[in-house]
Structure formats: structure tokens, C-alpha cells
Amino acid sequence: MLQIIVRLICMVIIWLGIILIFDARILTKRFFGFGDQNEGSSGLKILGFIITIISAIVMLAF
């Protein structure tokens, strides 16, 4: 039972990471000016990639 719950939570976190990767430009338009938009979008993409990889490793460990 715990294994199923951990896998479901990891899948949700993986989807959040994928959303950060693909919608980084849209998300940074809301929060940053034009000068910071490029740095912010690349930072969100990197963060989304790291979150996705870590969650996938945790999911495969269980």
C-alpha cells in the first residue's frame, strides 16, 4: 500500500517538473521583467529537470 502511495506522489511531482520545463517562459512572463525573463526561464527549466530526475529515481527505488 505504501509503495502505491509513494509512486503516485512521485508521478505527480514528475508531472509538475515537466510542466515547469515546458511552461517556463509563460510562468516567467508573470513574475519577471523582460531582462530577467531569459534567466528566469532557464532557471525554471533546470529546476524542473532536476525535480523530474530525482522523482523518477525515487519512484524506481520503490
Side-chain angles (χ1 to χ4, degrees), residues 1-14 54-62:
M1 185 70 176
L2 178 67
Q3 197 174 28
I4 295 171
I5 293 171
V6 170
R7 285 188 181 211
L8 286 174
I9 292 171
C10 285
M11 288 182 69
V12 169
I13 295 173
I14 288 171
I54 291 173
S55 298
I57 290 171
V58 169
M59 189 173 79
L60 289 175
F62 277 93

Side-chain angles (χ1 to χ4, degrees), residues 16-29 41 44-45:
L16 289 175
I18 291 172
I19 289 171
L20 278 178
I21 292 170
F22 286 107
D23 293 340
R25 179 75 58 182
I26 297 168
L27 293 172
T28 54
K29 281 183 184 178
S41 66
L44 281 179
K45 286 182 181 185

